[in-house]
Amino acid sequence: MGKGYRSGRLGEEIRRIISELLLREIKDPRLSGIVSISAVEVTEDGSYATVYITKMGSNASEETSAEEKEDVLAAFKSARGLIRKEIGK
C-alpha cells in the first residue's frame, strides 16, 4: 500500500459527503447551476483538506465570471459549519 492510500480514500469520502450535501441539504441560490466537487486533497495526518470546486455556466461554452466565482465561494463559506459537522459524523 502506497503512502497516500489512506488520505486518498479519505478525500474521496469527503468529496462524496459534500456532493450529497449540495444535492440535498444546501439550498443557497448562489449555488444555482451546475456546481461540482472536482477533487479533495487531504494532508497525510487528515487534519486539513483542500476542496476544488467547478462551476459551469448556464451554457456549456460560457465562461464563469469572476463575480459568479466569488458568489460560489461565499456560499461555501456560509455553509462551512454544516459541511464540517457532516464530515465529522
Side-chain angles (χ1 to χ4, degrees), residues 19-40:
S19 296
E20 281 185 18
L21 287 174
L22 281 173
L23 287 174
R24 293 184 175 84
E25 300 283 327
I26 301 173
K27 303 294 181 195
D28 196 318
R30 296 175 288 189
L31 295 175
S32 63
I34 301 172
V35 177
S36 68
I37 308 302
S38 55
V40 176

Side-chain angles (χ1 to χ4, degrees), residues 39-43 48-52:
V40 176
E41 290 181 0
V42 180
T43 59
Y48 291 99
T50 303
V51 179
Y52 295 95

Side-chain angles (χ1 to χ4, degrees), residues 7-21 37 39-42 46 48-51 83 87-88:
S7 63
R9 287 187 315 168
L10 183 59
E12 282 300 310
E13 184 65 18
I14 291 172
R15 188 188 65 76
R16 186 191 62 77
I17 291 169
I18 296 174
S19 296
E20 281 185 18
L21 287 174
I37 308 302
V40 176
E41 290 181 0
V42 180
Y48 291 99
T50 303
V51 179
I83 293 169
I87 291 171

